[in-house]
Amino acid sequence: MTEPPRRTRAEQRRDTEARILSAARETFAELGYERTTIRAVAATAGVRPGLVMHYFGSKEELFASAAHLPADELPPGDPAQALLATLRKRLDGPPVASLAVLRSMFTHGEAAEDFREAGRDWLGSIERAIPADRPELRAALISAIMTGLVVDRYLLKHSALADASADDILDLLRPCIESLVGAR
C-alpha cells in the first residue's frame, strides 16, 4: 500500500487559513461583528487564537476578509431567468459572507459600507438588464425582495421561508420577477 503524498508547508498553511476564514464567516454570520471573538473563531476552526491573529492580524482584518462580498454580476441572457438563477444559489445554501455582512451592518460601520458598495454594483447590473421603463426603481425592488428573502430565510427564520424549498419559493416569485423586469 502506498502512502499518500506529503503535503507541503505551503499547502498546510493555505488549508489552515481557509479553515479559519470559513470559521470566521460562519461565526460572523451567526453572531455578528460585535459578539464574534477571535477565541470563538479559533475554536470553530480548531486552532489557537494566536494562529488566527498570525494569519489575519486583527478582528477588523479578519472580518474584512470573511465578509468580502465579491462583485455579483448578472449572468447574460434573459434578465428574469438570470435573476431567478442567482436567487436559487442564495436559497440552495446560506450565502455566509452576505449573512456576515447583513448581521453585522447595523452595529459595524464598515459592514454597512461593504453592503452599500456591493449593492451599488449589483443594482447597476440589474438596471442595465431591464428593458422596461424606470429600471432604477425596478432594480431596487428586485434587490429588496432578494435581500429580504435571504434575511428572513437565514437570519430571522421566523416564517415559512426558512423551511420552504427553493423550487417552491421560485415558482411563486417567478411572475413577480418577470413583471418587474418587464418580461410580461
Side-chain angles (χ1 to χ4, degrees):
M1 182 192 258
T2 58
E3 265 186 55
R6 285 193 169 275
R7 295 172 10 152
T8 67
R9 282 193 184 275
E11 290 171 329
Q12 291 172 1
R13 281 192 296 272
R14 281 191 300 274
D15 289 348
T16 300
E17 185 175 6
R19 196 168 71 245
I20 292 169
L21 197 53
S22 176
R25 284 186 181 115
E26 291 172 24
T27 308
F28 283 120
E30 181 182 334
L31 301 175
Y33 183 84
E34 296 301 320
R35 292 178 42 217
T36 294
T37 64
I38 295 297
R39 285 186 191 281
V41 172
T44 301
V47 300
R48 296 180 329 278
L51 198 54
V52 175
M53 299 303 283
H54 171 76
Y55 280 103
F56 294 96
S58 68
K59 179 179 171 179
E60 183 68 35
E61 291 174 73
L62 177 62
F63 180 79
S65 294
H68 174 71
L69 296 174
D72 215 354
E73 282 294 318
L74 197 60
D78 176 79
Q81 296 312 309
L83 285 161
L84 290 165
T86 300
L87 183 54
R88 173 174 285 290
K89 283 189 243 173
R90 292 179 174 130
L91 295 174
D92 281 342
V96 289
S98 295
L99 293 173
V101 172
L102 286 167
R103 182 162 317 265
S104 302
M105 65 186 277
F106 296 108
T107 60
H108 186 60
E110 187 159 322
E113 184 52 38
D114 288 347
F115 187 75
R116 279 191 292 276
E117 186 177 315
R120 279 190 292 272
D121 294 340
W122 174 237
L123 281 173
S125 179
I126 298 170
E127 286 172 23
R128 288 186 296 278
I130 293 177
D133 65 325
R134 302 188 317 187
E136 299 87 6
L137 180 57
R138 291 169 183 269
L141 287 167
I142 290 167
S143 179
I145 289 167
M146 292 175 79
T147 300
L149 281 170
V150 168
V151 167
D152 195 292
R153 185 175 181 87
Y154 297 111
L155 297 180
L156 299 176
K157 302 176 187 177
H158 75 286
S159 75
L161 289 172
D163 298 319
S165 74
D167 287 335
D168 287 346
I169 294 169
L170 294 173
D171 285 347
L172 291 171
L173 199 54
R174 181 172 279 104
C176 176
I177 297 296
E178 288 172 348
S179 175
L180 284 169
V181 166
R184 290 188 169 197

